[in-house]
Amino acid sequence: MSDQRGFSTRAIHAGYEPDPLTGAVNVPIYASSTFAQDGVGGLRGGFEYARTGNPTRRALEANLAALEGGTYGRGFASGMAATDTLLRSALRPGDHLVIPNDAYGGTFRLIDKVFTQWGITYSVAPVTDIDAVRAAVRPETKLVWVETPTNPLLNVGDIEALAGVAHDAGAKLVVDNTFASPYLQQPLSLGADVVLHSTTKYLGGHSDVVGGALVTDDEELDAAFAFLQNGAGAVPGPFDGYLTLRGIKTLAVRMDRHCDNAEKVVDFLSGHAKIESVLYPGLPGHPGHEVAAKQMKRFGGMISVLVAGGIDAAKDFCARTEVFTLAESLGGIESLIEHPGAMTHASTAGSLLEVPDNLVRLSVGIEDIDDILGDLENALR
């Protein structure tokens, strides 16, 4: 089938054709640690050992590449495993990278606490300020790492402009596309060199599997990813691959519902006396609204708010919801609420990436909107 097919068609079909022996429409779970060979070195379908390759994982990787419009896809055991593989593939002692001033806490922790021990340095810059990113670049810069929208402040970076900054410096642009998903945004088409996902989130979509992915058009980078994927072994199991593929099949319809519900939540919270401000790229007053409208199909299902009354009011808001579950992670069919400063971004405390203590992040699910709004109204009462 052609890669020119529509998004939902690719999501359902890319990477797998019905099994020629049984006609199975869904990809089988190949729960085998090893594969029979037809003589020494005679590999059937290229498979020898499940860490090196697995048919279920291969189907997932081909599907992910097709969704992002990329040539190569690699699956990993988690988003952080994908992050670690990318950093180790692209950086050597003495190298430098630029990261957002509100990056995901886990990404910051890995870079700040682990990679700096190996002689890697980093600078912090807002993804919204192209001049600031350019000023942060050094002769030894190898990566410009961005999230857009960012986690958790939902700032928006101009991917095409950031790619220009990175490439002018001889560096690669990496875009963490987890918040947007490939349905809403495809960074490779805008000049990014690598797209990263925590497939745990919108791609899997059901809060039942952990995974990560890297997608690129760069053959040399992909070879480095493949080497570490096999050599370090942080690979997803076949059941993980199956669950992620199952989730991907409904990504488009889920994302539209996430966006529909988020827009109504934004309307409700924007006029609420107990909310200081709402952070959402779909708001015309959001500083990244025009860029988001240019490079995203819609504005996503993630919302952050600053709660009037400080940290105690923010934590009380989180504790009082019922439809919204107080939990880390995001992008599942159920609505989640969290306090980033004490939860997902606790590692940024005291750093340049520290988040406001009255910040609350909402992952708006696909429940009935009246129930979502009623829950928020009760929690803020």
Side-chain angles (χ1 to χ4, degrees):
M1 288 184 162
S2 168
D3 284 339
Q4 302 305 312
R5 296 169 297 170
F7 185 90
S8 289
T9 306
R10 280 178 283 145
I12 293 168
H13 294 285
Y16 178 73
E17 297 288 342
D19 184 273
L21 180 63
T22 67
V25 172
N26 278 316
V27 62
I29 301 169
Y30 288 92
S32 183
S33 61
T34 191
F35 300 85
Q37 301 185 24
D38 297 322
V40 177
L43 306 184
R44 300 182 191 179
F47 299 105
E48 54 184 317
Y49 186 64
R51 171 170 45 79
T52 307
N54 174 279
T56 312
R57 189 174 91 217
R58 176 180 285 182
L60 171 63
E61 291 173 335
N63 185 277
L64 291 166
L67 294 188
E68 284 289 0
T71 306
Y72 310 101
R74 298 287 168 183
F76 295 88
S78 68
M80 290 311 304
T83 299
D84 180 63
T85 297
L86 173 53
L87 292 171
R88 284 191 288 154
S89 296
L91 300 174
R92 296 293 179 267
D95 288 345
H96 171 265
L97 74 158
V98 180
I99 63 173
N101 66 344
D102 63 334
Y104 167 55
T107 304
F108 170 73
R109 181 178 59 231
L110 180 64
I111 293 168
D112 183 64
K113 304 301 183 187
V114 178
F115 277 85
T116 56
Q117 297 182 59
W118 300 341
I120 305 298
T121 58
Y122 70 92
S123 297
V124 171
V127 299
T128 56
D129 189 336
I130 300 300
D131 290 334
V133 174
R134 184 179 291 108
V137 171
R138 303 175 184 173
E140 64 271 24
T141 301
K142 296 296 186 292
L143 292 178
V144 175
W145 183 292
V146 302
E147 302 165 9
T148 180
T150 60
N151 181 8
L153 296 180
L154 294 168
N155 287 311
V156 176
D158 186 325
I159 296 172
E160 189 171 13
L162 290 164
V165 170
H167 297 159
D168 286 347
K172 304 287 190 184
L173 177 68
V174 179
V175 177
D176 184 333
N177 201 29
T178 299
F179 264 32
S181 87
Y183 179 64
L184 300 182
Q185 178 174 270
Q186 297 183 348
L188 294 179
S189 68
L190 299 170
D193 298 284
V194 184
V195 176
L196 179 141
H197 282 281
S198 170
T199 59
T200 310
K201 311 305 193 296
Y202 285 111
L203 285 163
H206 292 76
S207 300
D208 57 4
V209 62
V210 173
L214 297 172
V215 179
T216 185
D217 286 326
D218 188 317
E219 184 176 7
E220 184 176 350
L221 269 179
D222 178 67
F225 299 159
F227 178 83
L228 274 178
Q229 183 192 48
N230 179 49
V235 296
F239 190 55
D240 300 330
Y242 166 81
L243 285 174
T244 305
L245 275 169
R246 186 184 67 168
I248 285 172
K249 291 177 188 296
T250 60
L251 178 62
V253 292
R254 285 188 288 106
M255 289 307 299
D256 278 331
R257 180 65 172 260
H258 284 299
C259 293
D260 288 344
N261 283 352
E263 290 167 5
K264 292 180 175 64
V265 170
V266 166
D267 288 343
F268 170 74
L269 293 175
S270 294
H272 203 286
K274 293 189 177 180
I275 299 296
E276 285 184 4
S277 61
V278 177
L279 311 178
Y280 186 67
L283 286 169
H286 187 283
H289 176 71
E290 290 187 8
V291 174
K294 177 182 71 171
Q295 67 189 23
M296 297 177 70
K297 183 176 181 178
R298 295 184 69 179
F299 301 105
M302 298 300 299
I303 303 167
S304 289
V305 297
L306 296 175
V307 180
I311 185 171
D312 290 338
K315 288 185 175 180
D316 182 65
F317 177 31
C318 292
R320 289 170 57 84
T321 58
E322 294 180 357
V323 175
F324 280 83
T325 300
L326 177 60
E328 297 189 5
S329 197
L330 59 101
I333 53 175
E334 63 287 308
S335 292
L336 302 178
I337 189 170
E338 68 125 357
H339 184 267
M343 296 171 69
T344 53
H345 290 70
S347 62
T348 66
S351 76
L352 292 172
L353 281 73
E354 184 171 9
V355 298
D357 62 10
N358 65 331
L359 183 73
V360 170
R361 193 189 72 183
L362 304 172
S363 176
V364 181
I366 65 171
E367 301 95 340
D368 291 312
I369 187 59
D370 289 344
D371 295 324
I372 289 175
L373 296 178
D375 188 45
L376 294 173
E377 185 173 20
N378 289 335
L380 289 168
R381 185 168 296 162

